[in-house]
Amino acid sequence: PPIPGQVDLWNRELGALRDTAAADPGTPLVLAGDFNASQDHAAFRRILDTGLSDAARLDDADRTATWPARTAPTFGAQIDHVLVSKHFAADRTRILDVADTDHRAVVTDLTLHEGR
């Protein structure tokens, strides 16, 4: 997470994801997990600048809090994401409570477009 003493590492890790996403835009790509970042973080937006889309945003579920689960959805931030290349359509995104974790799950049904 971007906390004191770890911000540089967090930026490097998000930068590595950005580099991966930018490496071959012709290959279908899904990046999913805990990014410890929201749409408000510039480092996260640089990943989106490669052409990836946040599936939750495509399905009007963006800004639904995923962390901390104890106070979500009233308080919190969406730091867990499913990012997809243009080769996919996000058909349905759900934010679900999961036992024994401080995060909520992001579940997205995806359709891979042929020939894109």
Side-chain angles (χ1 to χ4, degrees):
I3 58 175
Q6 293 186 358
V7 173
D8 289 340
L9 174 61
W10 174 77
N11 273 313
R12 281 194 309 275
E13 289 176 343
L14 290 180
L17 290 174
R18 186 210 175 284
D19 293 346
T20 298
D24 185 3
T27 298
L29 180 65
V30 176
L31 297 178
D34 175 4
F35 288 76
N36 282 313
S38 72
Q39 302 274 347
D40 298 318
H41 291 97
F44 181 75
R45 289 193 309 272
R46 283 191 288 276
I47 297 171
L48 297 177
D49 289 344
T50 66
L52 294 182
S53 298
D54 193 323
R57 181 167 275 187
L58 294 175
D59 197 33
D60 294 326
D62 61 319
R63 304 287 184 178
T64 302
T66 61
W67 177 88
R70 176 174 49 78
T71 61
T74 306
F75 299 105
Q78 187 178 80
I79 63 171
D80 304 278
H81 305 275
V82 175
L83 306 182
V84 297
S85 64
K86 64 182 178 185
H87 306 90
F88 293 92
D91 299 319
R92 182 175 173 219
T93 297
R94 291 150 340 267
I95 310 296
L96 306 174
D97 293 325
V98 180
D100 301 320
T101 180
D102 62 340
H103 290 259
R104 298 172 76 208
V106 180
V107 179
T108 301
D109 298 330
L110 299 174
T111 300
L112 176 62
H113 300 293
E114 291 187 44
R116 280 186 99 173

